Amino acid sequence: MARLIYILNGPNLNLLGQREPEIYGHTTLADVEGACAALAKDLGLDLRFLQSNHEGQIVDWVQEARGTAAGIIINPAALTHTSIAILDALNAFDGPVIELHISQVHKREAFRQHSYVSQRADAVMAGFGTHGYNLALRQMAHLLGYLCASLARPRQNPHRPATEPHPPCAQGPRASAASAPERQRPRSSPAGQTAGNDRPRGWVQSVP
């Protein structure tokens, strides 16, 4: 199985640590990349950490990931709310996708609560600050099976009942005994809605 994870960052995240630090904090994107690289090494994963202010470049990276990567973690920034092109590119990627936001977007302006990417994402993480990158990377490792002792054994039937437990984990953080639900893309719903039963499976959100 491929061990490469793409972490993609959208517009203005190159200014992380300088732009609105009262919202996004003082940690720079270089700091985040360094922390992710160290954690990826511990988890046995390879990392490609990228940032662009241009929608087309991010689409190109998602398409590139189709042939090389096991999973994508993406902080689309402002493109979250506008980019059908990124959504279409992600829909062509077969591995797990985690959508990430540094701030708690659901406590901010109404337009920030609309996400096209959420219609594809297997999990959405918001409000954990830059630490959310580490949390997303650990969850990605869990989704891919790198935290579990069963890695060396044949994969279980992906259609097993949701109540069947995973084997005990051999390394990394302790995981829930309940198995993760089979990855499914959310059914069609009004763009950006993630409340109630329309939330993508695996939704993660900090408590206000």
Side-chain angles (χ1 to χ4, degrees):
M1 178 186 289
R3 291 176 174 266
L4 180 62
I5 306 301
Y6 273 50
I7 299 183
L8 304 179
N9 297 277
N12 297 308
L13 284 166
N14 56 307
L15 298 179
L16 191 62
Q18 305 172 43
R19 171 177 168 256
E20 299 182 278
E22 69 280 4
I23 297 175
Y24 301 106
H26 295 275
T27 303
T28 68
L29 195 63
D31 294 333
V32 174
E33 181 177 5
C36 287
L39 178 58
K41 183 176 180 181
D42 290 342
L43 295 172
L45 298 172
D46 298 320
L47 197 65
R48 188 151 158 73
F49 192 100
L50 301 161
Q51 187 275 331
S52 178
N53 293 325
H54 305 287
E55 180 182 33
Q57 178 62 79
I58 295 174
V59 170
D60 286 344
W61 284 332
V62 172
Q63 292 182 1
E64 176 185 292
R66 293 181 64 212
T68 59
I72 295 174
I73 297 169
I74 182 168
N75 182 346
L79 293 172
T80 303
H81 325 298
T82 62
S83 184
I84 297 173
I86 290 177
L87 170 62
D88 286 346
L90 289 169
N91 278 333
F93 178 77
D94 290 331
V97 173
I98 297 178
E99 178 183 351
L100 171 66
H101 300 285
I102 295 170
S103 68
Q104 171 42 307
V105 292
H106 299 286
K107 293 178 66 177
R108 299 183 64 190
E109 304 95 325
F111 74 86
R112 295 189 191 275
Q113 299 174 34
H114 171 286
S115 172
Y116 283 107
V117 174
S118 291
Q119 296 182 45
R120 167 60 182 88
D122 299 283
V124 180
M125 306 187 74
F128 293 95
T130 54
H131 181 57
Y133 283 84
N134 281 2
L135 296 175
L137 196 53
R138 288 186 180 276
Q139 177 62 14
M140 181 63 74
H142 179 73
L143 289 173
L144 295 172
Y146 284 111
L147 292 182
C148 292
S150 61
L151 182 61
R153 299 197 294 268
R155 303 285 284 182
Q156 295 184 18
N157 186 333
H159 303 291
R160 66 179 182 269
T163 56
E164 183 179 339
H166 280 299
C169 287
Q171 57 178 332
R174 295 185 62 184
S176 169
S179 64
E182 180 187 357
R183 182 175 73 83
Q184 296 181 2
R185 297 180 186 177
R187 298 296 183 185
S188 298
S189 60
Q193 287 190 4
T194 55
N197 294 330
D198 291 329
R199 289 178 175 172
R201 290 174 179 262
W203 175 274
V204 180
Q205 185 176 14
S206 63
V207 178

